Amino acid sequence: MISIGYIVFIVLMFYLLLIRPQRKQKRERNTMMNSLGVGDEIYTIGGILGTITRIKEHTIWLRISEKCEIELLKSSIGGLNNRIDE
């Protein structure tokens, strides 16, 4: 017979290993998305690097070369590009 202690232990481990890290990751992503501004260098989940030129409610405009800009959904942003120029 399974005791209540084992069930509590399993629920606690599930929380510590799955739910808590996922919440932290989501909170960090929301903070990053809210802090984006014009001029920030980002990369997309598809691997495109560029600079933000305009921000709308659900989309951004990304300059990927001197004469080329594309409009992307905000959800396609992978993160900030923190590379050091050589």
Side-chain angles (χ1 to χ4, degrees):
M1 186 185 292
I2 299 177
S3 72
I4 294 178
Y6 288 125
I7 294 173
V8 170
F9 177 75
I10 290 171
V11 170
L12 180 64
M13 293 307 293
F14 184 76
Y15 174 77
L16 290 175
L17 295 175
L18 296 175
I19 297 173
R20 188 171 173 222
Q22 187 177 18
R23 282 185 183 173
K24 181 180 178 186
Q25 186 179 26
K26 186 176 180 181
R27 187 171 42 247
E28 289 172 353
R29 180 164 172 77
N30 285 338
T31 301
M32 185 264 305
M33 295 296 278
N34 291 332
S35 69
L36 289 176
V38 174
D40 288 346
E41 292 186 6
I42 63 166
Y43 60 90
T44 67
I45 57 175
I48 299 172
L49 300 172
T51 304
I52 297 175
T53 58
R54 287 183 267 173
I55 299 176
K56 294 184 179 179
E57 186 176 348
H58 298 290
T59 61
I60 62 161
W61 284 85
L62 190 66
R63 182 183 322 120
I64 56 175
S65 70
E66 241 180 76
K67 297 181 181 181
C68 184
E69 286 186 9
I70 56 176
E71 186 175 16
L72 300 169
L73 293 173
K74 283 185 176 180
S75 61
S76 67
I77 297 173
L80 289 171
N81 189 10
N82 295 328
R83 67 183 172 146
I84 298 173
D85 291 328
E86 297 177 14

